[in-house]
Amino acid sequence: MANSKAIPGDKRNEWIKWACLAIAVIGLVFYFFPRSKVVLDDQGYDASVALYRICNQKDMESLQKIAEQAAQWQTEGKISEQSYASVQQVIGLANEGDWSQAARECRRMMEDQVQR
């Protein structure tokens, strides 16, 4: 009697093990999946360097200044759309108070510019 009840439980445990394994594999794929690199123009790179300092210092006043500068560059056509979008993403993170994630994004953007 005990053996007959153990069989369905074993199948359930087997399914749980397979589900956990599948979740782990999917997680590893997303973790190691190569992401596309950000290509910045000169204005975008300068903005990312400034934003990196601003985010590390959590300087809201300077954040507003660089946001205004980036908007001006965009209206004047001095910054590419990809650079502007990347800078705006960092500014958005910092405005939400996620300074550390904003700094990590700046660092990633700058590292993406290195030719290896």
Side-chain angles (χ1 to χ4, degrees):
M1 196 69 123
N3 288 339
S4 64
K5 288 186 179 182
I7 293 172
D10 287 342
K11 286 187 179 187
R12 188 175 355 166
N13 288 340
E14 187 176 325
W15 278 104
I16 291 172
K17 289 177 187 177
W18 280 107
C20 290
L21 179 64
I23 291 170
V25 168
I26 290 170
L28 288 172
V29 166
F30 278 114
Y31 182 76
F32 289 108
F33 188 74
R35 59 171 177 72
S36 60
K37 292 188 175 192
V38 175
V39 178
L40 299 174
D41 57 13
D42 290 341
Q43 300 293 0
Y45 186 79
D46 291 345
S48 67
V49 171
L51 279 169
Y52 187 69
R53 179 196 57 81
I54 289 166
C55 291
N56 282 324
Q57 295 177 349
K58 299 180 182 177
D59 183 356
M60 189 59 83
E61 183 179 326
S62 295
L63 180 66
Q64 295 307 320
K65 288 180 184 177
I66 196 71
E68 292 168 6
Q69 183 66 51
Q72 181 181 350
W73 287 336
Q74 186 197 30
T75 57
E76 295 173 356
K78 293 183 177 180
I79 190 170
S80 69
E81 287 299 318
Q82 185 178 17
S83 292
Y84 183 72
S86 298
V87 167
Q88 284 301 108
Q89 178 185 6
V90 172
I91 291 171
L93 287 168
N95 273 327
E96 293 171 359
D98 197 353
W99 295 100
S100 60
Q101 181 62 33
R104 282 192 295 271
E105 285 297 316
C106 285
R107 175 111 181 159
R108 182 183 64 86
M109 289 186 325
M110 290 185 291
E111 287 176 351
D112 284 349
Q113 307 316 300
V114 176
Q115 300 288 329
R116 294 177 196 215

